[in-house]
Amino acid sequence: MQANYKFEPGHRLCVYRISGAVTAKGLLNLFRSARDDQAWSDEYRFLTILENASLARMDTGAINDLMLGMQDEALGPRKRPQAAIVCNDLLSRGLLAFWVAASASQLGTQEKVFDTEEDARDWLAAAETAIPLPAR
C-alpha cells in the first residue's frame, strides 16, 4: 500500500491519498502518522482518495479490526466530522457501503462515497457554507 496525507488548514481537511493493496495495518499506520504530525488539528474533516487501490484484503472482518484499532489507539474522531471517500471502483463500493454504515455507529463519523474528488470536495464545502435554519 502506498499512502500519504496532506493537511489543508484553509479547508479544515486532512487529505489521504492511497493506492495499491489496502490493509487495516497500513491504514492504521497512515492515520497514526497524521495524528502524530505537529500540524494536526482535531477540527479537520477527512477526504480519502483511493487511486488504483485494491480493497481485496479489506473484508468486513478487516474493516471491524480497523475500527477497533482506531478506537483503541484514539485514532477515531473526537467529534462527528464529515469524511468523504473517493472511489470509482464498483467492486470496492460494496465494502465502502459497509464501512460507511459501520463507522457511523462505531466511530461517529458522517461519511459518504463519491466517484470524483470534485464531488467530494463540493459536499464537504457545502457543509462549511451551509446557513443553519433559524430556531423555531
Side-chain angles (χ1 to χ4, degrees), residues 39-97:
W40 173 261
S41 170
D42 285 339
E43 298 299 315
Y44 285 141
R45 294 163 303 139
F46 308 101
L47 173 58
T48 301
I49 302 164
L50 301 172
E51 300 170 325
N52 300 315
S54 169
L55 298 180
R57 297 183 186 174
M58 292 297 295
D59 60 11
T60 55
I63 289 173
N64 278 322
D65 290 345
L66 174 61
M67 282 188 242
L68 289 173
M70 290 173 72
Q71 290 171 334
D72 289 348
E73 295 187 42
L75 296 174
R78 288 167 177 73
K79 297 181 180 183
R80 184 177 164 79
Q82 289 180 302
I85 303 169
V86 177
C87 176
N88 59 9
D89 176 54
L90 291 176
L91 294 176
S92 298
R93 288 179 87 89
L95 284 171
L96 290 172

Side-chain angles (χ1 to χ4, degrees), residues 69-124:
M70 290 173 72
Q71 290 171 334
D72 289 348
E73 295 187 42
L75 296 174
R78 288 167 177 73
K79 297 181 180 183
R80 184 177 164 79
Q82 289 180 302
I85 303 169
V86 177
C87 176
N88 59 9
D89 176 54
L90 291 176
L91 294 176
S92 298
R93 288 179 87 89
L95 284 171
L96 290 172
F98 175 78
W99 169 264
V100 167
S103 66
S105 63
Q106 287 189 295
L107 297 176
T109 55
Q110 177 187 359
E111 303 202 29
K112 192 169 178 182
V113 179
F114 297 89
D115 288 327
T116 68
E117 182 175 347
E118 181 180 6
D119 290 343
R121 285 180 177 273
D122 286 348
W123 179 71
L124 290 166

Side-chain angles (χ1 to χ4, degrees), residues 13-25:
L13 284 178
C14 176
V15 180
Y16 298 107
R17 292 192 185 273
I18 303 168
S19 62
V22 179
T23 65
K25 183 178 179 179

Side-chain angles (χ1 to χ4, degrees), residues 123-136:
W123 179 71
L124 290 166
E128 286 291 291
T129 59
I131 300 170
L133 293 173
R136 292 185 183 214

